[in-house]
Amino acid sequence: MRAVCRTSLLGAVASAGCAQPTEVPRVAIDLVVDSSGLLPVTNDLGYLVEVAEAELVVVDFEFARAGEMHTRALWPALWDAIIPAAYAHPGHSQEGDVTGELLGQFHLQWRPGQVQRLAPATLLVGDYASANFTFGFSGPEDSVTAGREGTTGMVRGIATRGGRSIVFEAVMTAPPDRLLVGIPFEVSVTLEVPSELAFRLVTEDPLEGDTLFDGIDFGALDVDGDGVLTLVPEASEPAVVEAAYALRRTLMTHDHYEILGTSDF
Amino acid sequence: MHPIIRSSTLALVSVMTMACEAESGTLEATAYGESFIEDGIPATAFADGWSVAFDRFTVDVSEVVVGSTLVVTAASVDVAIATGGLGQELGEVEVPEGRHAQASFTLQRIDIVGTASRGDEQRSFQWLLEEPTHYHGCESSTEVRPGGVGRFQVTVHADHLFYDSVAAESPMMRFQHFADADANGDTILEQGELAATGLGALDAGSEGHVHDLWGWLLALARTLGHVDGEGHCHVDA
């Protein structure tokens, strides 16, 4: 793990009134990379996809008390819209009061059966709704991404359909300063609970049922039939390029991430 | 009634009436596509060297409310017609003097006809965007002076149609992804061709839910509506 943590003080929230201002208590809770969301899934084209490992470089987690997920909960019928309750301008869709944070760049690694501890996040006590982070880029010192400097994430696994298996590796690079907003984080934070926050990459969207790999026809993309597929934007086959970008887009939505409050680890 | 009293009363009523008349003005609503629609979008604005000219950019606008006043019920104007910066008039109404803050409106339908060019390459398009978008809570404050005219403007930002991201604060403008969707090579970009084309490197944002270029175009069309130039609004589904 490479975790370059910075310390930061959250702005104090005080109640204005005739009485003395009261500062909202804050707590430090460990953020843990939880691999339990990497379940085998069958995508919309009938491939059983098993993820062996996934990595992601992220910068600066933020935790918000209200925001997009609040809107989602109130108006589920509207959620299918493309830009719900957002400013009518690209890049203006972030909402919610950020009252928690974990600053720094982190190289997250999900491997089935493993848990990766990051660092304590600082949160004000309250009811949370969503979380955000910015996609980062691997540096030369990242041992796991050696040879892939400057990339954001990677997913490796195997896809099987009709007795044919294809081992795949997908590498994605996010646009600069790409903020991901609206990760589900519906947790009540008190002075006592939760003891840890589990950050999960989930292969199946728990709300909509779509998978991380929908639309990817692994067999058709393996044009040389060697059973090995590399999904990168630099590929020579246009269909492979499109599939690499499709997976990148999915990884850049909040549908396949969640943060749970737990004391299980 | 005594004649003197009667005339005094009439005079008072008259003065009061004049005072009331002087306390109102006209609030005029216009729609303006800025130079990008009236004159076209030059190649220097695009990251990939294309330029775009619009032959028609008709917007059907409804329910224009400024402050608490309904100014326009429905109007349809072609904002590609040059107006020298004035915009196309949607309607006007008498309102009390003062500041009329916040606004809302709906873009019911947008009919776009245009041509994109780069060197010898050319693509034409005729896109009918029929998904209404309601804009509300718009950052606007229109001042109406007694007897004067205050102007509220629905500003249409056509450059947003060519953004390469709905997540970036400063997206680039590109046309190549549309040009590449011309599957039958007739240089006309049809809705079916866009619907059959993936998004490639375009960034559909944290919400996603867009999977083809026609959906992408509809998503970006929802960001066209602004007020008084750069004033932002909220949008509903």
Side-chain angles (χ1 to χ4, degrees):
Chain A
M1 177 186 79
R2 186 172 70 90
V4 183
C5 298
R6 302 194 304 270
T7 57
S8 170
L9 289 176
L10 291 169
V13 176
S15 59
C18 298
Q20 289 289 327
T22 304
E23 187 169 320
V24 177
R26 72 189 64 191
V27 292
I29 308 174
D30 278 346
L31 185 62
V32 173
V33 178
D34 172 11
S35 300
S36 63
L38 296 185
L39 300 174
V41 289
T42 301
N43 78 353
D44 60 341
L45 299 176
Y47 288 92
L48 174 65
V49 185
E50 299 164 276
V51 174
E53 59 179 333
E55 300 174 7
L56 199 64
V57 181
V58 307
V59 179
D60 293 352
F61 287 92
E62 299 174 333
F63 306 94
R65 289 194 190 180
E68 293 190 340
M69 298 313 297
H70 185 63
T71 303
R72 185 178 194 173
L74 286 173
W75 307 103
L78 303 181
W79 191 248
D80 286 338
I82 293 161
I83 308 173
Y87 260 120
H89 193 288
H92 287 192
S93 59
Q94 186 184 7
E95 295 184 0
D97 299 324
V98 174
T99 55
E101 64 187 12
L102 173 56
L103 302 182
Q105 175 159 312
F106 302 92
H107 188 146
L108 315 181
Q109 300 166 38
W110 288 276
R111 293 191 177 86
Q114 294 188 21
V115 169
Q116 177 192 16
R117 295 183 181 279
L118 296 181
T122 304
L123 299 94
L124 300 183
V125 167
D127 294 331
Y128 284 80
S130 63
N132 315 317
F133 65 76
T134 301
F135 289 99
F137 305 98
S138 61
E141 69 274 26
D142 290 312
S143 59
V144 178
T145 56
R148 290 201 297 267
E149 185 179 347
T151 58
T152 300
M154 175 277 294
V155 180
R156 288 196 193 102
I158 185 166
T160 304
R161 187 178 73 175
R164 181 185 175 198
S165 293
I166 294 131
V167 175
F168 71 89
E169 177 184 70
V171 180
M172 64 90 85
T173 303
D177 302 319
R178 174 59 156 81
L179 182 67
L180 177 65
V181 298
I183 298 167
F185 176 50
E186 295 179 339
V187 173
S188 291
V189 172
T190 70
L191 291 174
E192 291 79 30
V193 293
S195 59
E196 290 176 323
L197 301 176
F199 182 40
R200 303 172 73 197
L201 172 66
V202 291
T203 46
E204 181 172 318
D205 179 352
L207 290 177
E208 299 173 355
D210 54 324
T211 81
L212 197 55
F213 307 100
D214 279 359
I216 300 180
D217 190 341
F218 293 91
L221 297 175
D222 178 27
V223 290
D224 60 7
D226 66 353
V228 178
L229 176 63
T230 303
L231 294 172
V232 291
E234 300 80 21
S236 56
E237 288 288 331
V240 174
V241 174
E242 185 60 39
Y245 278 127
L247 182 55
R248 182 182 86 147
R249 279 195 302 279
T250 306
L251 285 168
M252 292 196 302
T253 70
H254 52 215
D255 289 356
H256 291 277
Y257 302 97
E258 62 183 9
I259 298 179
L260 307 173
T262 179
S263 56
D264 290 344
F265 296 111
Chain B
M1 182 182 292
H2 192 282
I4 295 176
I5 295 174
R6 184 176 175 184
S7 64
S8 298
T9 303
L10 284 172
L12 180 61
V13 169
S14 176
V15 168
M16 289 175 65
T17 303
M18 287 174 64
C20 290
E21 285 175 351
E23 289 175 356
S24 67
T26 301
L27 199 158
E28 180 186 273
T30 61
Y32 181 42
E34 303 183 310
S35 174
F36 273 170
I37 295 182
E38 292 191 355
D39 305 323
I41 307 176
T44 52
F46 282 89
D48 53 16
W50 286 87
S51 62
V52 169
F54 296 103
D55 300 316
R56 185 171 75 224
F57 205 113
T58 301
V59 290
D60 294 357
V61 189
S62 67
E63 302 295 325
V64 179
V65 175
V66 180
S68 58
T69 304
L70 175 65
V71 182
V72 179
T73 302
S76 180
V77 293
D78 181 0
V79 291
I81 297 171
T83 62
L86 295 176
Q88 305 284 340
E89 184 175 337
L90 296 172
E92 63 179 34
V93 66
E94 288 292 306
V95 295
E97 69 160 315
R99 288 204 169 274
H100 299 258
Q102 295 222 325
S104 62
F105 63 93
T106 298
L107 288 183
Q108 289 284 351
R109 178 177 177 270
I110 306 172
D111 180 12
I112 307 170
V113 179
T115 305
S117 306
R118 183 177 66 181
D120 295 334
E121 296 180 272
Q122 197 167 78
R123 301 285 189 278
S124 62
F125 50 87
Q126 183 168 349
W127 295 329
L128 189 58
L129 311 176
E130 296 186 285
E131 294 194 2
T133 302
H134 180 61
Y135 299 84
H136 61 92
C138 301
E139 300 166 340
S140 172
S141 181
T142 306
E143 183 171 10
V144 177
R145 297 183 183 280
V149 178
R151 290 185 173 83
F152 166 78
Q153 182 187 91
V154 172
T155 314
V156 183
H157 287 195
D159 52 322
H160 289 200
L161 292 173
F162 307 106
Y163 279 171
D164 63 359
S165 170
V166 298
E169 285 285 351
S170 301
M172 306 292 285
M173 287 175 60
R174 302 180 192 278
F175 191 83
Q176 191 61 48
H177 51 280
F178 287 126
D180 291 342
D182 180 27
N184 61 11
D186 65 355
T187 75
I188 301 169
L189 300 176
E190 291 145 359
Q191 177 178 340
E193 289 176 316
L194 299 189
T197 304
L199 296 183
L202 301 172
D203 184 354
S206 296
E207 293 82 17
H209 296 212
V210 182
H211 305 291
D212 61 69
L213 276 186
W214 183 253
W216 176 257
L217 189 68
L218 293 175
L220 289 177
R222 292 166 55 78
T223 74
L224 298 189
H226 287 62
V227 294
D228 301 333
E230 296 297 327
H232 289 136
C233 305
H234 285 85
V235 293
D236 283 337

